[in-house]
Amino acid sequence: MKARLLDGKALAGRIEDTLRDEVQTFAKMVGRPPRLVVVLVGEMAASASYVKSKAAAAARVGIDAEVVRAPVTADTEQLVGLVEALSRDEHGPADGILVQLPLPTHIDTQRVLDAVPAERDVDGFHPENAGLLSQGRPRFVPCTAAGVQRMLIDAGVETAGKHAVIIGRSDIVGKPLALLFAGRGKGGDATVTICHSRSEDLAGICRKADILVAAVGKPGLVTAGMVKPGAAVVDVGINRVADPSAASGSRLVGDVDFASVAEVAGWISPVPGGVGPLTVAMLLANTLLAAELRM
Ligand code: NAD
């Protein structure tokens, strides 16, 4: 492998070490730790596993995390009501409120997310937080986008004046990351292209990227022939694929064909162990920020 590894897991560990001290300072001053409430609807295995790792990470840095469960049969009104009750601190102080996505298909997801008050919106999905980010004065930045930028800054990958290509235009990853890259300052000042399912000549556009981020959800989408030699390749995708050799019969892969791209790229992030742990670390940072802003 020629590329250097963008080790998200190691960086997340270092971020947690810093956060642990800051959380302790907060708890001493306020008399309680910051508190995160996660709403988990239904029994989807992937969602339950993400929530479990978020709660475990919170515990490692001393943030109090509570998971509030709702049955898969809950309707939109009930979930909006639950989020409103959490916002009134009816389940204890809720500095940060997060609704684990995806919600069941019968739910109006936007309405539920809109019920999370902007100042507790640690996922950064509220229109007010999206607006602040687009104006270059971010408050809560969506965790995955923030994690990708942090990863590149930490590795010393220059973004200023460089061409960043993002595949994927979701509100959760692609769009906020484009705003971060295009913004002023460290980890920004890039020339940004967003590609999506309707983009023509995806491979040609990707080959022009100094920084290439894949956030699609399609295993093997990015191949070596799409990567400029020396480029930094960040793989946001999480896909479960069959693997008869694994004990569970499956394994996680990203959107990038890791083995071949690692021979061409200058930097590459693995899956698992890349963007995922940083997403969680950024959530913890946002929760501490929410608690601090509230005080
Ligand atoms: P999404 O489904 O909302 O968006 C996918 C995007 O990919 C869309 O904008 C779509 O236009 C684009 N797309 C689809 N097919 C394409 C193609 N053939 N060529 C180019 N673009 C195409 O997904 P999302 O929520 O942004 O998540 C994307 C992936 O990232 C998923 O695999 C998800 O599991 C993963 N994810 C990982 C983390 C993490 O912490 N690592 C966090 C969030 C999402």
Side-chain angles (χ1 to χ4, degrees), residues 40-75:
L40 176 60
V41 183
E43 308 287 337
M44 251 182 73
S47 294
S49 142
Y50 290 142
V51 166
K52 200 171 150 194
S53 64
K54 287 169 185 175
R60 285 198 297 274
V61 302
I63 289 176
D64 186 10
E66 186 189 345
V67 180
V68 175
R69 289 172 177 273
V72 71
T73 50
D75 61 21

Side-chain angles (χ1 to χ4, degrees), residues 166-169 194-200 202:
I166 301 164
I167 319 175
R169 58 177 162 186
I194 303 182
C195 297
H196 47 77
S197 53
R198 303 291 299 273
S199 294
E200 290 178 5
L202 181 69

Side-chain angles (χ1 to χ4, degrees), residues 121-182:
D121 166 41
V122 285
D123 257 340
F125 297 162
H126 192 285
E128 189 177 315
N129 290 316
L132 287 169
L133 173 60
S134 82
Q135 290 185 349
R137 43 190 192 130
R139 180 170 55 189
F140 299 116
V141 177
C143 304
T144 304
V148 171
Q149 189 188 44
R150 184 75 176 260
M151 175 185 253
L152 294 171
I153 292 173
D154 180 74
V157 174
E158 185 58 78
T159 53
K162 303 296 180 190
H163 186 194
V165 173
I166 301 164
I167 319 175
R169 58 177 162 186
S170 72
D171 292 340
I172 296 173
V173 188
K175 270 193 241 163
L177 183 57
L179 289 169
L180 290 175
F181 280 156

